[in-house]
């Protein structure tokens, strides 16, 4: 059982046909995606075919991460290079739990380039920053630097000023240890993930610009979610743009406000929602009135969905390709428990095929 | 299906064919005129030139650094959608999709991405697989990676070096080997800020010269058809013609390819200490028959520089326009993305002239290759203008009149009357690249070649002729008509597959487990990961 129209079980081709009909009829379809590179590749191609606007399921988390790359740029490194070369690791703010294994592996090793040496850790904290997890802290023995009174961007501002030997009005915890260590480090690396604000990112990269005038330093960017970052990369090569992007005019248009799928749904611009996720734990948002096509791991029809199709997961049910922060690039993910569940890629191919017989409406 | 291209003027210097004659296609291959058989389809090509599909040997069209550039500069692409065509970045070919279409429309059917980091190979090939119509290939980067530098430091045997080079080429599915500012990226991680040919990477005690020599020799021993592709030291720096001269001198009578020589054509004369040494370099190239070069012509306007020469890109960040850039300390080379606008000022004018001097003063069109180092000197969409500059002295003169005269006075450009003939263009963009890359099946129109064919309508307007091909065939499929893509298909990535010694696989396994705590399969991938039918086509090494 892999397909439903409403709550009625149907053969997969019937569900595909129904989904294709809805896509063809829609004047303003929106897609929320969460799949591997192949799944995203096919869904973005489908978006172009039907003039859809697309974003990642967790697009809201991506906005500042994308903006860092589109507006600021900066210094970056791969985790593999960091593992071998960083003599100082500075964790900036909070790093999501999904990356704790990566951080643990950095804490379990010492640099071997350009020669064997020690690795020292700092954790830059603002008033809302959580402590490093117990296990990581036991291994890394990170020295906290920062302030429990200031937001993280202000802490970074003080650190930047202090590194540039400018007088700062506030005193941070352990600032002398931090300044002394970074000033003498050969390859300090600032590890960061998604901040809620652009100011922190600007401040951090500004600090790296300053340090690099005389010495080397770089940053390890750990996206909030590797699959989401893979989708960003795929969108960028396929259309020239990261999400949020849409094909409502035929050509890809990148506009983080205009192409905000949630906004389009709330504003009743969208008339069809294709929601795709390979994760077990997430359910599509329930919205009355908006026809929804759902590709999901669930073995039950999604309540309220016009069409539900059960899919497999890349790297589990079938082979896939995913972004991996561990190596800073794409990685082939072999099926761990091969199954007959169709991949997103296969379903989308069938949808595209079914759409060939339909006249696609446009906005 | 038997296809007849009738009555066009064939330009096929490789086979010594010229003048009006028919070309026949069957099963995607060019065939002899069949005896007593009628064509299923005939195209009347009277009033047209017929050439093999063009081949670009050096154009940054895909991979991590290229994608980072796209990500950094959405406004460049956004701008292009609204602006009229023919302004430089209006047609940058920014997405994979546009890249394939725009190349095909100009009659290009094979393009080489010249800077693939081996660790980024899967990503690069995924992007290339999304470029429609044309065939692609990659050069894999070595020469700043710890494994090779350690081997050179430890005086590893030639056999061990060859095993590693072969394994890298094979696992990354490359068509050749590139070295980018040998040793400099590794040195930059140790805070070295300038790096010349005889400078040494501190912790390895290995010089740039030594790295180039080791790789050049290995490529030769392995029978990799394309000679080592060298991006030399000191790119963009006044006085760097001396570095290029040293590098040419180090070719030692063996094949060596120097990339984007224009960026090394600078002396220190003149009030600004920035002058042209192109004439001297051209003479050196003319006198060293084993050396080939591509130009990396600068054309004016907005572009973005994408390079794995991290030391150079770091110093370029000062002049970024718009003011943002990315500096990436990756495994081995890493990369830097710096947007840049070439202005018709002193520096821009000089760079523009140096490129043209090289094109026009290097005598042998078999050894000078047509590139803008896309997008570093200009987007590849500027090619039609560049063809015109090479083929029409009056077009050069007209452009020179707009430029900074004090810069042009330090060049020989005004005195050069040479105009490229169509025959020479066909050599430079078809026959020679095929030969340089070891692709016997293309670059000419002889029987047995794949039917990659570009048909151009004769006319006074050279730019128009080369921008909008009348017809383009890829493997016998008609893909472009009157400059418009009419049929989409997927090309392949051309690759070598030198056999890997079992010992090296074991060593690489141990190395990756030891240094990264990860098994080797994190860094390798099966062909099926590309998820397209036959994504690769194998090219043979020379025995
Ligand atoms: Zn290049």
């Amino acid at each position: 059982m892999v397909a439903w129209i409403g709550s009625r079980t149907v053969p997969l081709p019937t569900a595909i046909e129904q989904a294709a009909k809805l896509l063809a009829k829609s004047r303003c379809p929106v897609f929320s995606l969460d799949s591997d590179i192949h799944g995203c590749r096919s869904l973005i191609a489908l978006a172009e075919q039907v003039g859809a606007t697309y974003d990642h399921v967790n697009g809201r988390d991506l906005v500042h991460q994308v903006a860092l790359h589109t507006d600021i740029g900066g210094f970056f490194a791969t985790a593999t290079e960091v593992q071998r070369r960083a003599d100082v690791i500075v964790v900036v703010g909070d790093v999501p739990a999904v990356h704790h294994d990566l951080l643990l592996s950095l804490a379990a090793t010492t640099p071997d380039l350009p020669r064997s040496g020690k690795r020292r850790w700092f954790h830059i904290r603002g008033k809302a920053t959580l402590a490093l997890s117990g296990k990581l802290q036991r291994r890394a023995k990170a020295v906290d630097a920062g302030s429990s009174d200031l937001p993280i961007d202000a802490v970074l501002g003080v650190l930047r000023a202090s590194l540039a030997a400018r007088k700062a009005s506030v005193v941070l915890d352990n600032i002398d240890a931090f300044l002394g260590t970074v000033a003498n480090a050969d390859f300090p690396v600032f590890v960061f993930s998604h901040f809620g604000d652009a100011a922190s990112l600007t401040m951090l990269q500004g600090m790296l610009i300053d340090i690099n005038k005389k010495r080397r330093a770089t940053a390890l960017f750990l996206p909030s979610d590797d699959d989401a970052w893979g989708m960003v990369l795929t969108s960028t090569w396929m259309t020239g743009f990261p999400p949020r992007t849409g094909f409502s005019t035929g050509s890809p248009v990148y506009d983080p406000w205009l192409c905000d799928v949630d906004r389009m749904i709330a504003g009743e611009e969208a008339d069809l929602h294709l929601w795709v996720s390979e994760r077990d734990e997430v359910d599509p948002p329930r919205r009355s009135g908006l026809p929804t096509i759902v590709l999901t791991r669930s073995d039950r029809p999604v309540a309220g969905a016009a069409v539900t199709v059960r899919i497999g997961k890349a790297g589990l049910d079938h082979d896939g390709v995913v972004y991996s922060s561990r190596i800073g690039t794409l990685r082939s993910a072999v099926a761990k428990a091969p199954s007959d569940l169709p991949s997103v890629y296969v379903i989308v191919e069938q949808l595209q095929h079914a759409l060939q017989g339909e006249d696609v409406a446009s906005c | 299906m038997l296809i007849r291209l009738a009555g066009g003027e064939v330009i096929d210097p490789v086979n010594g064919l010229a003048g009006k004659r028919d070309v026949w296609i069957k099963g995607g291959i060019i065939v002899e005129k069949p005896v007593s058989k009628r064509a299923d389809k005939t195209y009347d090509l009277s009033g047209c030139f017929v050439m093999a599909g063009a081949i670009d040997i050096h154009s940054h069209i895909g991979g991590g650094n290229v994608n980072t550039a796209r990500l950094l500069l959405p406004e460049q692409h956004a701008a292009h959608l609204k602006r009229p065509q023919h302004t430089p970045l209006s047609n940058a070919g920014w997405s994979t999709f546009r890249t394939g279409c725009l190349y095909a429309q100009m009659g290009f059917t094979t393009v080489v991405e010249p800077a693939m980091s081996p660790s980024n190979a899967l990503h690069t090939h995924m992007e290339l697989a999304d470029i429609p119509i044309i065939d692609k290939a990659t050069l894999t980067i070595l020469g700043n990676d710890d494994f090779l530098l350690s081997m050179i430091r430890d005086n590893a045997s030639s056999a061990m070096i060859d095993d590693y080079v072969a394994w890298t080429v094979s696992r990354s599915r490359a068509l050749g080997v590139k070295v980018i500012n040998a040793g400099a990226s590794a040195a930059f991680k140790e805070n070295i800020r300038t790096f010349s040919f005889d400078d040494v990477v501190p912790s390895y005690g290995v010089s740039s010269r030594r790295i180039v020599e080791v790789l050049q020799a290995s490529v030769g021993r392995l029978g990799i058809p394309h000679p080592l592709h060298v991006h030399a030291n000191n790119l963009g720096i006044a006085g760097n013609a001396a570095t290029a001269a040293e590098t040419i001198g180090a070719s030692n009578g063996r094949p060596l390819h120097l990339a984007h020589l224009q960026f090394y054509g600078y002396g220190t004369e003149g009030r600004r200490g920035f002058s042209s040494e192109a004439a001297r370099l051209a003479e050196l190239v003319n006198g060293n028959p084993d050396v080939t070069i591509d130009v990396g012509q600068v054309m004016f306007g907005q572009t973005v520089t994408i390079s794995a020469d991290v030391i150079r890109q770091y110093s370029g960040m000062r002049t970024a326009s718009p003011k943002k850039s990315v500096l990436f300390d990756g495994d081995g080379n890493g990369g830097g993305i710096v947007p840049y606008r070439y202005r018709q000022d002193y520096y821009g004018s000089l760079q523009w002239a140096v490129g043209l001097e090289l094109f026009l003063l290097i005598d042998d069109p078999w050894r000078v290759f047509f590139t803008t180092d896309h997008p570093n000197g200009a987007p590849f969409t500027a090619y039609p203008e560049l063809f015109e500059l090479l083929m029409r002295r009056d077009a050069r003169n007209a452009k020179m009149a707009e430029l900074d005269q004090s810069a042009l006075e330090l060049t020989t450009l005004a005195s050069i009357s040479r105009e490229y003939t169509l025959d020479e263009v066909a050599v430079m963009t078809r026959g020679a690249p095929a030969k340089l890359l070891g692709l016997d099946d293309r670059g000419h129109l002889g029987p047995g070649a794949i039917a990659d064919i570009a048909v151009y309508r004769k006319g006074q307007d050279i730019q128009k002729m080369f921008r909008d091909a009348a017809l383009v065939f890829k493997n016998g499929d008609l893909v472009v008509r009157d400059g418009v893509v009419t049929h989409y298909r997927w090309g392949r990535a051309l690759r070598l597959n030198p056999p890997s010694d079992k010992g090296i696989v074991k060593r690489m396994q141990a190395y990756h487990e030891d240094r990264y705590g990860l098994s080797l399969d994190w860094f390798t991938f099966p062909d099926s990961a590309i998820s397209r039918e036959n994504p690769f086509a194998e090219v043979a090494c020379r025995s």
Side-chain angles (χ1 to χ4, degrees):
Chain A
M1 263 187 289
V2 292
W4 299 266
I5 293 178
S7 57
R8 182 165 52 93
T9 305
V10 295
L12 180 60
T14 312
I16 296 285
E17 202 181 309
Q18 178 66 13
K21 276 213 171 77
L22 291 171
L23 283 166
K25 211 174 66 183
S26 167
R27 292 189 163 274
C28 194
V30 293
F31 292 5
S32 300
L33 321 180
D34 188 4
S35 183
D36 79 327
I37 303 293
H38 293 312
C40 291
R41 234 172 152 193
S42 61
L43 285 162
I44 292 168
L46 181 70
E48 177 167 25
Q49 193 178 353
V50 301
T53 296
Y54 62 88
D55 196 357
H56 193 267
V57 165
N58 300 321
R60 200 150 297 281
D61 291 344
L62 280 176
V63 172
H64 287 301
Q65 300 172 60
V66 168
L68 161 69
H69 289 80
T70 54
D71 299 354
I72 304 172
F75 290 82
F76 299 95
T78 52
T80 36
E81 191 66 22
V82 172
Q83 174 163 349
R84 300 198 57 185
R85 204 175 278 274
D87 54 349
V88 174
I89 287 183
V90 184
V91 178
V92 185
D94 295 316
V95 172
V98 288
H99 295 303
H100 276 186
D101 281 349
L102 197 166
L103 293 179
L104 278 172
S105 71
L106 291 176
T109 52
T110 52
D112 73 307
L113 295 177
R115 66 197 75 79
S116 309
K118 285 208 180 86
R119 180 173 284 157
R120 299 185 61 183
W121 288 65
F122 284 88
H123 185 200
I124 296 181
R125 294 174 69 178
K127 62 179 172 187
T129 309
L130 303 172
L132 296 181
S133 81
K135 197 171 169 194
L136 178 61
Q137 178 57 12
R138 277 195 298 281
R139 288 235 180 123
K141 299 189 174 57
V143 175
D144 278 349
S147 160
S148 49
D149 301 325
L150 297 174
I152 188 97
D153 62 321
V155 170
L156 286 165
V158 173
L159 290 176
R160 183 182 180 188
S162 309
L163 273 169
R166 288 195 298 271
K167 271 235 160 56
S169 51
V170 242
V171 177
L172 303 179
D173 302 337
N174 296 314
I175 186 155
D176 291 338
F178 174 81
L179 295 177
T181 304
V182 169
N184 290 307
D186 288 326
F187 204 78
V189 177
F190 292 74
V191 180
F192 72 102
S193 184
H194 61 314
F195 292 112
D197 62 307
S200 298
L201 296 169
T202 310
M203 201 52 82
L204 175 58
Q205 289 297 344
M207 185 152 70
L208 287 167
I209 290 172
D210 293 348
I211 299 173
N212 274 288
K213 284 178 183 154
K214 289 269 158 45
R215 304 181 66 94
R216 289 308 323 277
T218 187
L220 173 60
F221 163 63
L222 299 174
S224 59
D225 179 297
D226 278 6
D227 286 341
W229 196 249
M231 186 264 192
V232 169
L233 297 181
T234 309
S235 171
T236 302
W237 83 62
M238 287 184 72
T239 68
F241 298 124
R244 299 160 172 166
T245 287
F247 289 98
S248 61
T249 64
S251 298
V253 171
Y254 165 68
D255 190 321
W257 185 81
L258 204 64
C259 298
D260 177 349
V261 165
D262 289 343
R263 187 197 62 79
M264 291 172 79
I265 292 172
E268 297 182 4
E269 284 172 42
D271 63 2
L272 178 69
H273 192 193
L274 171 64
W275 189 93
V276 182
S277 175
E278 296 185 9
R279 282 173 226 234
D280 286 322
E281 61 275 21
V282 256
D283 289 321
R286 287 181 190 218
R287 289 188 182 100
S288 54
L290 183 67
T292 305
I293 302 166
V294 175
L295 309 189
T296 174
R297 297 262 299 145
S298 166
D299 56 4
R300 282 183 305 265
V302 169
V307 180
T308 307
V309 175
R310 189 176 175 201
I311 49 167
K313 183 175 173 59
L316 184 71
D317 298 284
H318 54 268
D319 295 349
V321 171
V322 295
Y323 178 81
S324 164
S325 284
R326 189 73 178 77
I327 55 174
T329 184
L330 303 187
R331 177 190 176 212
S332 148
V334 177
K336 287 196 192 92
S339 80
D340 292 337
L341 290 173
S343 65
V344 168
Y345 183 85
V346 163
I347 297 295
V348 173
E349 254 188 353
Q350 295 181 13
L351 276 172
Q352 288 183 302
H353 190 75
L355 275 165
Q356 280 168 3
E358 306 275 348
D359 273 337
V360 176
S362 58
C363 278
Chain B
M1 186 158 81
L2 185 62
I3 300 169
R4 177 182 170 212
L5 308 183
E9 192 175 325
V10 165
I11 299 170
D12 182 16
V14 172
N15 295 302
L17 299 179
K20 269 199 184 156
R21 52 191 304 141
D22 291 355
V23 176
W24 294 78
I25 304 172
K26 192 173 165 54
I29 305 285
I30 296 174
V31 293
E32 298 275 12
K33 179 185 173 179
V35 190
S36 68
K37 266 229 168 133
R38 291 185 55 138
D40 300 302
K41 174 107 190 140
T42 299
Y43 294 89
D44 177 9
L45 302 189
S46 45
C48 293
F49 295 115
V50 185
M51 296 188 188
I55 302 169
D56 191 337
I57 68 158
H58 190 121
S59 172
H60 300 271
I61 54 171
N65 286 335
V66 174
N67 215 35
T68 302
R70 295 186 187 109
L71 195 50
L72 182 69
L73 294 158
E75 66 272 28
Q76 292 203 5
H77 184 69
H80 109 234
L81 292 169
K82 290 183 209 103
R83 280 150 61 189
Q85 54 176 355
H86 300 337
T87 51
L89 265 166
S90 70
N91 278 312
W94 209 228
S95 65
T96 46
F97 177 75
R98 296 277 293 157
T99 300
C101 294
L102 289 166
Y103 260 116
Q105 286 164 15
M106 299 191 299
F108 279 74
T109 47
T110 305
V111 179
V112 179
E113 157 55 56
M116 173 177 65
S117 164
S119 56
N120 197 239
L122 175 56
H123 178 152
T124 305
H125 284 297
M126 296 281 296
E127 280 196 31
L128 297 186
D130 279 349
I131 295 177
I133 306 171
I134 60 175
D135 285 337
K136 289 82 54 171
T138 61
L139 304 180
T140 200
I141 305 169
L142 286 171
N144 279 291
D145 49 310
D146 168 60
F147 196 83
L148 182 74
L149 298 188
S150 302
M151 278 203 293
I152 299 175
R153 175 195 59 207
D154 301 341
N155 290 313
S157 68
S158 303
M160 278 167 71
I161 302 267
D162 292 355
D163 282 348
Y164 176 63
V165 173
W167 178 80
T168 305
V169 166
S170 175
R171 70 121 177 176
S172 64
R173 277 82 160 172
L175 189 64
V177 179
K178 164 103 170 276
V179 61
I180 298 174
N181 203 348
S185 290
F188 184 56
K189 288 171 184 162
E190 296 182 46
N191 203 28
I192 301 291
R193 301 298 171 113
T194 63
F195 202 72
S196 292
F197 201 43
D198 285 307
D199 285 341
V200 163
V201 190
S203 58
Y204 298 93
V206 171
S207 71
S208 197
R209 178 191 296 274
R210 181 100 180 90
I211 298 166
V212 169
E213 284 171 351
V214 164
L215 283 172
Q216 183 203 25
S218 180
V219 164
R221 284 190 302 266
L222 288 167
I224 292 174
H226 184 44
L228 180 66
H229 197 104
V230 181
H231 167 133
N233 321 71
N234 293 329
L235 184 144
I237 297 172
N240 65 3
T243 305
E246 274 182 313
T247 312
I248 291 171
S251 64
N252 289 323
R254 288 193 303 247
L256 190 78
H257 181 84
L258 269 180
H260 36 69
L261 192 61
Q262 179 278 128
F263 287 110
Y264 301 92
Y266 314 138
T268 54
E269 305 290 305
R271 206 157 47 83
R272 294 172 202 254
F274 189 67
S275 59
S276 170
E277 289 286 326
R280 182 162 79 90
L281 287 184
E283 213 170 290
L284 265 177
V285 173
N286 286 336
N288 279 276
D290 294 300
V291 170
T292 51
I293 68 112
D294 65 88
V295 171
Q297 176 68 31
V298 157
M299 303 289 267
F300 300 105
Q302 178 69 50
T303 193
V304 52
T305 64
I306 303 174
S307 177
D309 184 346
V310 176
I311 215 167
R312 150 73 208 168
Q313 293 302 78
Y314 177 73
S315 69
M317 284 166 79
R318 284 176 290 117
T319 51
S321 170
K323 225 137 188 59
K324 55 182 177 180
S325 38
V326 168
L327 210 285
F328 176 60
D329 286 295
D331 316 290
N333 270 75
I337 316 298
V338 182
Y340 190 74
R341 177 180 287 278
Y342 288 104
R343 296 189 163 81
Q344 297 191 2
D345 57 8
Y346 179 89
Y347 295 97
S349 301
L350 191 100
Q351 290 184 292
W352 177 86
V354 165
L356 292 176
E357 285 183 281
L358 290 172
F359 270 119
L360 296 163
L361 295 174
I362 295 174
D363 300 326
D364 184 359
W366 285 92
R367 294 201 289 122
V368 56
F369 291 83
F370 183 88
T371 67
T372 57
D373 190 15
H374 164 81
N376 292 318
F380 68 82
T381 43
Y383 284 178
E385 286 162 67
L386 181 53
F387 281 125
E388 183 176 57
L389 292 171
L390 297 180
M391 294 178 70
R392 293 280 186 272
R393 188 184 187 186
D394 53 2
R396 292 201 294 270
N397 288 341
K399 188 71 200 172
M400 283 168 74
E402 295 174 23
L403 302 182
D404 187 294
Q405 297 307 309
S406 63
L408 296 179
E409 276 162 20
L410 291 171
T411 77
T412 62
L413 191 57
S415 70
I416 304 173
S417 59
R418 181 178 171 192
E419 294 182 334
Y420 268 72
T421 64
L422 276 171
D423 239 42
E424 288 175 324
V425 167
V427 167
M428 179 170 65
T429 57
R430 276 80 173 166
K435 182 177 168 216
L436 186 75
L437 299 167
L439 307 174
D440 304 333
D441 65 352
R442 63 195 73 198
H444 66 94
L445 297 172
I450 57 173
D452 287 3
I453 299 171
V455 178
Y456 300 104
R457 196 155 285 119
K458 284 185 204 176
Q460 282 310 300
D461 188 342
I462 289 177
Q463 287 197 36
K464 179 155 180 40
M465 178 171 108
F466 282 115
R467 188 174 303 284
D468 299 319
L471 298 175
V472 178
F473 294 87
K474 181 75 193 83
N475 291 80
D477 292 343
L478 181 64
V479 289
V480 170
R481 195 187 262 278
D482 296 321
V484 176
V485 173
T486 53
H487 171 67
Y488 295 95
R489 61 187 297 285
W490 297 113
R492 299 198 189 162
L494 311 172
R495 60 163 299 193
L496 305 172
N497 199 4
S500 279
D501 176 83
K502 280 218 180 67
I504 187 71
V505 177
K506 270 203 181 127
R507 285 191 65 192
M508 296 321 297
Q509 243 150 10
Y511 178 81
H512 284 85
E513 273 159 27
D514 179 47
R515 306 302 157 96
Y516 301 108
L518 297 171
S519 65
L520 194 55
D521 55 2
W522 279 74
F523 302 88
T524 55
F525 59 93
D527 283 5
S528 61
I530 306 300
S531 191
R532 264 196 216 297
E533 238 174 278
N534 301 318
F536 299 105
E538 218 168 291
V539 174
C541 284
R542 299 200 173 107
S543 44

